[in-house]
Amino acid sequence: MAFPYAPGTVSYSGTFIPEIWSKKLIEKFYANTVLTAISNTNYEGEIRNQGDKVQIRTIPSLVINDYESGQTLVNQRPESNNVELLIDKGKYWSAIVDDVQDVQSDIGLMNMWAQDAAEQMKITIDTQVLASIKPDVAAANKGATAGAISGNLNLGVTGTPLAVTKTNILDTILYMGQVLDEQNRPESGRFVVLPYWATTLLKMSDIKDASLAGDGTSVLRNGRVGMIDRFTVYQSNNLPHVTDGANECFDLIAGVKQGLTFASQLTKTETLRAESTFGNIMRGLQVYGHKVIDGESLAVAYAYKG
């Protein structure tokens, strides 16, 4: 809307008052990403050097036998199963800045867009990988009868999700810890990823800040909240969720990094002149692969805010 003038006054708007393009942009905020904090990248270097897949050898389990003096020993021939990690997924972005638009704005559009694309790329990949985890988690580490030994830990299933409240949020986390314990998984390096409503309940529970102990660091870009039991607690809006009956249900994911591997073979950003117009094209590509290589090192609770 042009600046108002009194009746009878000649308006020279657009003649003497130029249009101004601000060099400042409205700040944009992004969802926290947790992928690099909960997965291992041990095989990334091998993939980048060798090709589009790597064969990961597993350690076989040796059989322990009884022994009697003088008996003939039976030799085992250990066989190692291979896990194949493929770089079979890709995401890209591509945008054009017309020469005229670039001159008018004068705010480094391409740099701004590249920064935005990098953040959006992380969020997109984070969301996709988190959504793929649950099917490959060991059967004893999820569901209404979780626990490789106990078999009586209710972590929720489709149709009967777990109602999580400020009263039982800590119990839910401790049950996931027990699930990992019963699989003999390491106590160090454990993580749990919660939706924001769950971390809110955690802060409202009896444990409050007392058990988020030894961590004076604020929430960073990876959503790190603090420590509880043996878990580093992360919060994320990228966790998979579905409508189940009258409830919005989420996967709460816990584990150790050995369970999930991630590797990116090619991350490329380039600029080139457009062929059909006057402008510059900027585009980026990331190809990557991920796999649950040890389903016993991960646990999932299927829950809603009760």
Side-chain angles (χ1 to χ4, degrees):
M1 178 178 178
F3 192 83
Y5 286 82
T9 304
V10 178
S11 171
Y12 295 98
S13 177
T15 303
F16 298 115
I17 303 177
E19 184 174 357
I20 298 174
W21 286 73
S22 174
K23 294 184 179 182
K24 299 178 181 178
L25 295 181
I26 296 174
E27 188 171 359
K28 189 172 184 178
F29 300 94
Y30 301 93
N32 294 324
T33 53
V34 299
L35 180 57
T36 56
I38 68 171
S39 64
N40 74 71
T41 56
N42 295 344
Y43 314 102
E44 190 168 58
E46 296 181 55
I47 295 173
R48 283 178 170 169
N49 292 333
Q50 298 298 327
D52 61 356
K53 63 183 176 181
V54 63
Q55 298 290 338
I56 304 172
R57 290 172 292 182
T58 60
I59 300 175
S61 296
L62 296 180
V63 177
I64 305 301
N65 301 296
D66 294 328
Y67 176 74
E68 296 179 356
S69 180
Q71 78 172 67
T72 300
L73 302 182
V74 177
N75 293 316
Q76 179 185 357
R77 296 184 181 275
E79 294 185 4
S80 176
N81 296 322
N82 290 346
V83 176
E84 187 175 75
L85 175 63
L86 296 175
I87 301 298
D88 58 353
K89 296 175 177 61
K91 303 290 183 184
Y92 84 94
W93 61 274
S94 182
I96 185 170
V97 179
D98 290 325
D99 290 344
V100 174
Q101 184 183 20
D102 192 34
V103 171
Q104 287 179 335
S105 62
D106 191 31
I107 54 176
L109 279 180
M110 299 194 79
N111 288 335
M112 294 291 183
W113 290 357
Q115 293 173 15
D116 179 72
E119 292 292 340
Q120 300 290 2
M121 183 76 79
K122 288 191 294 183
I123 294 169
T124 299
I125 295 175
D126 201 67
T127 302
Q128 187 268 314
V129 175
L130 290 175
S132 72
I133 291 176
K134 187 175 182 178
D136 294 322
V137 173
N141 292 19
K142 59 187 177 183
T145 57
I149 298 174
S150 58
N152 62 359
L153 303 175
N154 182 15
L155 295 181
V157 293
T158 300
T160 55
L162 184 65
V164 173
T165 67
K166 67 179 182 180
T167 302
N168 69 358
I169 178 67
L170 179 59
D171 293 344
T172 303
I173 295 174
L174 294 179
Y175 287 157
M176 286 194 283
Q178 182 180 338
V179 162
L180 296 176
D181 290 339
E182 293 187 9
Q183 296 285 16
N184 301 309
R185 285 324 183 248
E187 294 192 10
S188 61
R190 293 188 179 186
F191 66 82
V192 60
V193 186
L194 305 174
Y196 277 76
W197 58 261
T199 55
T200 297
L201 293 176
L202 187 61
K203 294 169 186 175
M204 294 169 60
S205 69
D206 290 338
I207 197 166
K208 293 186 173 65
D209 289 338
S211 287
L212 298 175
D215 187 1
T217 305
S218 62
V219 179
L220 304 177
R221 278 248 47 83
N222 63 355
R224 189 173 189 270
V225 177
M227 295 290 297
I228 187 168
D229 189 31
R230 295 153 292 172
F231 290 105
T232 300
V233 181
Y234 297 93
Q235 57 188 6
S236 173
N237 279 329
N238 301 327
L239 286 167
H241 55 96
V242 297
T243 301
D244 189 343
N247 304 302
E248 192 68 14
C249 300
F250 294 72
D251 287 344
L252 283 55
I253 301 173
V256 291
K257 279 189 173 185
Q258 292 92 325
L260 174 68
T261 191
F262 173 83
S264 176
Q265 185 181 19
L266 173 65
T267 301
K268 185 176 182 63
T269 301
E270 62 184 12
T271 59
L272 62 157
R273 290 294 293 175
E275 294 183 358
S276 58
T277 188
F278 293 102
N280 291 314
I281 294 174
M282 175 173 277
R283 59 192 184 188
L285 169 68
Q286 183 169 353
V287 292
Y288 62 97
H290 59 89
K291 191 178 187 67
V292 172
I293 58 175
D294 182 8
E296 295 180 355
S297 291
L298 299 168
V300 174
Y302 179 66
Y304 67 94
K305 183 178 181 295

